[in-house]
Amino acid sequence: MHPLTLPETWFSLDSEQFTKLRSDVAQWIKGESSLTVKIKELGIAFNVAVLAQTTLPNRALLHPALPSQEGSALFREVLLQQGDVPLVYAQTIMPDTTTTGTETMLTELGNQSLGQVLFQSPQAIRGDIEFAEVTSTSQLGLYIQQELQQTINEPCYIRRSLFHLNRKPLLVCECFLPSLFQ
């Protein structure tokens, strides 16, 4: 089941689709700061639950936003939680070439937030933010409803950004779960 398949159609923040979003959803999608920090500001104990971390072939169909499609990549999936309530599902794809040298530590994050690493490093550069709708019948939508027990009554959205850490790419995708807006 892991890694979960993500949407195929993505939109930029200057698209017509973005202008149609609820303002609270749009604020989370376009936010350039760390989600870790934003969730910690909500109050209750923040934690990261690791769902899966595995190395798989770096296939173009899974992540066309990555510049390199060769070799393999580390897929890391986590939930950003407030107490025991998942607020964000995150999937990060790191090509093998990214997790070498000083960036080897990315393979050993455990329950540490990737955002803490990226947003504390002056060597991290974030690319454009794109977003997509997660349908209730998609693999991710079914996971949210069946495994996380969160009903998708209103559209659910995911964003992605291509980061470069010391000029090494990693794709960070973050899905805003229904519980974030309750």
Side-chain angles (χ1 to χ4, degrees):
M1 178 167 188
H2 293 281
L4 296 174
T5 303
L6 302 182
E8 293 182 16
T9 305
W10 295 81
F11 301 99
S12 68
L13 297 185
D14 59 3
S15 67
E16 182 180 339
Q17 289 82 358
F18 187 74
T19 63
K20 296 177 181 177
L21 297 177
R22 284 187 0 220
S23 63
D24 58 339
V25 173
Q27 290 301 315
W28 280 96
I29 290 173
K30 73 178 183 179
E32 300 220 1
S33 64
S34 165
L35 286 184
T36 299
V37 171
K38 287 185 79 168
I39 292 172
K40 284 181 177 180
E41 289 173 352
L42 295 176
I44 302 172
F46 169 83
N47 68 79
V48 176
V50 178
L51 299 173
Q53 183 168 310
T54 186
T55 300
L56 296 171
N58 192 7
R59 299 185 304 260
L61 289 177
L62 289 177
H63 41 79
L66 272 172
S68 169
Q69 301 300 330
E70 301 183 13
S72 59
L74 180 68
F75 286 73
R76 173 178 156 90
E77 293 174 288
V78 302
L79 294 173
L80 305 182
Q81 301 184 137
Q82 189 180 41
D84 61 354
V85 178
L87 301 180
V88 174
Y89 161 84
Q91 182 183 108
T92 304
I93 305 167
M94 299 174 262
D96 285 345
T97 54
T98 297
T99 57
T100 60
T102 57
E103 288 73 36
T104 301
M105 53 78 172
L106 294 174
T107 66
E108 303 165 354
L109 289 173
N111 289 345
Q112 181 183 356
S113 163
L114 174 64
Q116 288 181 312
V117 174
L118 290 177
F119 287 95
Q120 290 178 4
S121 172
Q123 303 304 318
I125 299 170
R126 181 184 213 153
D128 293 337
I129 296 173
E130 296 178 307
F131 76 99
E133 183 174 343
V134 176
T135 64
S136 60
T137 57
S138 67
Q139 186 184 30
L140 179 53
L142 292 171
Y143 176 81
I144 292 167
Q145 295 178 97
Q146 295 171 1
E147 300 298 321
L148 301 181
Q149 300 291 302
Q150 296 187 26
T151 305
I152 299 177
N153 291 324
E154 296 190 26
C156 188
Y157 294 95
I158 186 169
R159 72 176 184 180
R160 72 179 179 188
S161 299
L162 183 63
F163 282 84
H164 284 85
L165 184 58
N166 291 320
R167 294 185 224 146
K168 298 177 182 180
L170 57 153
L171 185 63
V172 177
C173 306
E174 300 155 319
C175 180
F176 303 100
L177 301 174
S179 59
L180 182 65
F181 300 101
Q182 294 175 348

